[in-house]
Amino acid sequence: MPIAALAIGAGVGTAVFTGNAGAETTDVVRTGAAEDGYSSSSRPTYNFGASDTLVAGRQGGDTMVTYLKFKVTDPGTGVKVKGAQVTLNRESRTFPASISLSKVADTAWTEKGLTGKNKPKVGSVVTTVKPKSGATSVTFDVSSVVKGAGTYTFAVTSTVANSPARFRSAEATAGQPTLALTVLRPTTTKPTTPATTAPATPTSPATPTSPTSPTSPATPTSPATEPTGTPPGDCTVDAKLVPSCGVLWGAAAGGFSDVPRDEALKTFERKTGRTSTVYHTYHKGDELFPTKSEIAMTNDPANPRVLMLNWKVAYGTKWANVAAGDQDARIDRLSNYLKTNYTKKFFMVLHHEPENDVNPTAGSGMTAKDYAAMFRHTALRMRANGVDNAVFVVAYMNYEKWNNSTWWGDLYPGDDVVDWVGVDTYNNAQPGGFHYGDFNYMMNRTTDKAKFPGWYTWATTNHPSKPIMVAEWGVYDSSPTVVGKNKADVYATVLPQLAMMPQIKGMVYFETAKDQNGHDIRMDDTPEALAGFQKIAADPRFTVKI
């Protein structure tokens, strides 16, 4: 999945910093390619923008050039970019003995329009590397070019005869191209323990305090007094999969890896000690789903599960085109497949984290209003086609810069087509690090309450009738040396603070050993982390019958 801006966790983030300007911390922030593709001299009219493979080098009389475009947003006030590296992962075969990366002045090219006839001119060589033939990846130092915010385009070439390099593209399921920035950040004030009193009413909760805590997230109450869930067997779901009590528990396991998702989920369940009632998977374009393996996971009588299926219906086109009906054949095809192959209730997330793909320019086809129109059109057409088992979820990013933007409010498609309001949100367990905090901070962080009060507060204030789905959540530790206690401390805040947020009706953990930013979001990267996570999973409030 292309990530077009600086990313934190599975979302994207740029910080506004306060505190001691004299103190700095080092961090590595990665962004994926906004556009990528390759040209072929022997196939000058071909476009390879949708391919999951990039090729660079010579084969017979064919010369192929890989093009990469990265969009780097402002890394934040006082942040210094100290270095930058582009990494490409090998797709197949061995690497040639020499690969070069060059500047490209033209930034207007697009992966959907790139061909051998119109390919941009390759500029001066930035660096040449000589990888081992069996290496799994190759890294180019672009520190001399990437100094801060901007759009950067590069060409990858090789003059070695009959030994082209093959890389994984942004369309691959794992190992996409990345641009890693090494940055120095001013040390921030550390998050505080939030208020522990419950909101006056479920629809208008007390605004939790801004995270400014001393050395670690809030310490949970003792097991004797900690709020616990309803005893097993008492909670069921209604027609919209909203639990009568308790909270749905789920996971998207094995992200950014080659492990089959059903296998990864079963491993996750075995380690955590609880069935993931919600099984989250991802699809795009013309893919038909749920797949046979996904359906099989819902037919396990000993471990009942409900699917959460993310679909990027506009893959290969624009939101405005979907809203205009250009992809109705795609929508109808999936609708017919669902009616024939899957009649159980399931969650349908339409293009999660849309903020990252918004182009606010009028007429771009990718404005926030275009997203809302795409969502509405897709949901209404599926319903008109007789798909009555889809429960529609809109899933935001919880990234402060987007939340503060003037267009963010335009993303919401409307209460009539949204069944659940969802959010993808991640925390850093490194004390004092960027996005460090407890569970309350994860759900309600803000840089300016006057612009945006915090995501949970916004959701419960503006959509009090809608259940909240934490569609992706996770914790990583950016410490130079990972400390097992750090994640455990964050996990320890989840249960007591979840009790203060009664509108949350579902929580789905995103588990991966390495996301687009290099963050380890596994719940078991240390024994202390696993023990802390197992305490969350064991809570009876997550025992809900479906």
Side-chain angles (χ1 to χ4, degrees):
M1 291 179 283
I3 301 297
L6 290 176
I8 297 295
V12 181
T14 304
V16 177
F17 295 95
T18 60
N20 181 4
E24 295 177 317
T25 59
T26 301
D27 195 9
V28 176
V29 183
R30 292 175 173 83
T31 179
E35 307 268 357
D36 63 2
Y38 69 95
S39 64
S40 167
S41 63
S42 67
R43 294 163 289 176
T45 62
Y46 277 45
N47 170 261
F48 304 97
S51 173
D52 59 5
T53 302
L54 300 169
V55 187
R58 296 167 55 196
Q59 183 69 52
D62 192 7
T63 298
M64 291 156 285
V65 179
T66 281
Y67 289 89
L68 304 165
K69 182 188 295 186
F70 297 95
K71 294 183 179 180
V72 178
T73 59
D74 185 350
T77 304
V79 178
K80 304 171 185 176
V81 177
K82 302 299 291 182
Q85 294 179 317
V86 170
T87 297
L88 299 174
N89 290 290
R90 180 164 58 87
E91 190 270 336
S92 64
R93 303 181 186 176
T94 57
F95 281 135
S98 176
I99 309 174
S100 297
L101 181 139
S102 303
K103 294 180 182 178
V104 174
D106 182 1
T107 61
W109 62 271
T110 66
E111 63 180 21
K112 300 305 181 187
L114 179 69
T115 67
K117 279 190 172 183
N118 64 16
K119 64 182 187 296
K121 181 180 179 180
V122 177
S124 60
V125 173
V126 178
T127 184
T128 297
V129 297
K130 299 183 182 300
K132 294 181 179 180
S133 63
T136 59
S137 65
V138 61
T139 296
F140 305 92
D141 189 335
V142 294
S143 303
S144 62
V145 178
V146 180
K147 301 292 187 180
T151 299
Y152 300 92
T153 60
F154 302 100
V156 182
T157 59
S158 176
T159 59
V160 179
N162 299 321
S163 182
R166 296 175 65 87
F167 311 106
R168 295 184 178 186
S169 78
E171 283 69 34
T173 57
Q176 302 94 336
T178 59
L179 171 62
L181 302 185
T182 301
V183 299
L184 293 180
R185 303 184 186 279
T187 299
T188 61
T189 33
K190 300 178 181 179
T192 64
T193 302
T196 56
T197 54
T201 67
T203 59
S204 183
T207 302
T209 57
S210 299
T212 54
S213 129
T215 56
S216 68
T219 303
T221 55
S222 66
T225 58
E226 183 177 293
T228 58
T230 303
D234 292 347
C235 300
T236 58
V237 296
D238 64 13
K240 295 295 184 181
L241 296 175
V242 181
S244 58
C245 55
V247 179
L248 293 173
W249 175 264
F256 304 105
S257 75
D258 295 327
V259 179
R261 294 296 173 262
D262 53 346
E263 179 182 324
L265 187 72
K266 290 177 181 178
T267 300
F268 180 89
E269 293 174 339
R270 185 169 62 253
K271 289 180 177 180
T272 58
R274 178 180 288 278
T275 296
S276 295
T277 305
V278 179
Y279 175 27
H280 194 180
T281 64
Y282 300 81
H283 299 278
K284 60 189 179 184
D286 288 319
E287 294 177 5
L288 293 176
F289 55 88
T291 64
K292 289 182 179 179
S293 63
E294 290 167 352
I295 293 173
M297 291 288 278
T298 70
N299 290 334
D300 182 351
N303 301 287
R305 304 178 184 93
V306 62
L307 293 174
M308 178 182 285
L309 303 170
N310 185 80
W311 188 29
K312 290 193 172 182
V313 60
Y315 182 75
T317 183
K318 297 180 178 181
W319 292 330
N321 294 341
V322 176
D326 291 355
Q327 294 299 319
D328 282 356
R330 176 179 283 179
I331 298 170
D332 295 348
R333 181 168 174 259
L334 178 65
S335 297
N336 291 332
Y337 174 86
L338 285 165
K339 288 188 294 182
T340 302
N341 295 277
Y342 196 71
T343 57
K344 295 180 180 179
K345 292 285 185 179
F346 68 96
F347 292 107
M348 171 68 91
V349 184
L350 294 178
H351 201 119
H352 73 306
E353 303 178 5
E355 297 98 319
N356 193 52
D357 295 317
V358 166
N359 179 346
T361 304
S364 68
M366 294 294 285
T367 66
K369 290 183 178 179
D370 290 329
Y371 170 80
M374 176 279 297
F375 192 111
R376 289 191 60 81
H377 180 82
T378 304
L380 291 173
R381 189 167 184 89
M382 289 183 70
R383 289 175 180 173
N385 286 339
V387 179
D388 56 7
N389 54 330
V391 177
F392 289 96
V393 182
V394 58
Y396 295 97
M397 289 183 71
N398 198 19
Y399 164 41
E400 298 92 318
K401 179 180 179 179
W402 299 147
N403 296 341
N404 293 343
S405 70
T406 56
W407 49 258
W408 191 82
D410 293 333
L411 288 167
Y412 192 72
D415 281 350
D416 59 327
V417 291
V418 173
D419 298 311
W420 288 60
V421 182
V423 65
D424 296 355
T425 185
Y426 295 81
N427 262 15
N428 185 359
Q430 177 191 11
F434 177 53
H435 274 174
Y436 166 67
D438 50 25
F439 183 73
N440 176 66
Y441 172 71
M442 184 187 292
M443 292 301 302
N444 239 356
R445 59 183 173 234
T446 179
T447 58
D448 185 344
K449 288 184 179 180
K451 290 183 177 179
F452 191 77
W455 194 89
Y456 182 84
T457 300
W458 168 84
T460 54
T461 301
N462 290 274
H463 306 287
S465 65
K466 299 296 180 182
I468 288 174
M469 173 68 74
V470 186
E472 288 181 13
W473 72 284
V475 182
Y476 58 92
D477 185 358
S478 286
S479 302
T481 300
V482 173
V483 179
K485 175 179 179 295
N486 289 353
K487 275 191 182 179
D489 284 347
V490 178
Y491 290 149
T493 69
V494 172
L495 293 177
Q497 294 177 9
L498 177 61
M500 299 161 52
M501 302 181 189
Q503 212 156 313
I504 295 177
K505 301 298 183 183
M507 291 181 62
V508 181
Y509 197 84
F510 186 90
E511 187 257 0
T512 180
K514 187 177 181 180
D515 70 357
Q516 305 107 313
N517 317 302
H519 294 139
D520 188 336
I521 315 179
R522 291 176 297 176
M523 73 295 167
D524 64 336
D525 59 334
T526 67
E528 297 94 331
L530 178 59
F533 195 84
Q534 287 172 333
K535 289 180 181 178
I536 303 173
D539 193 271
R541 81 189 72 187
F542 298 115
T543 303
V544 179
K545 289 183 178 180
I546 56 172

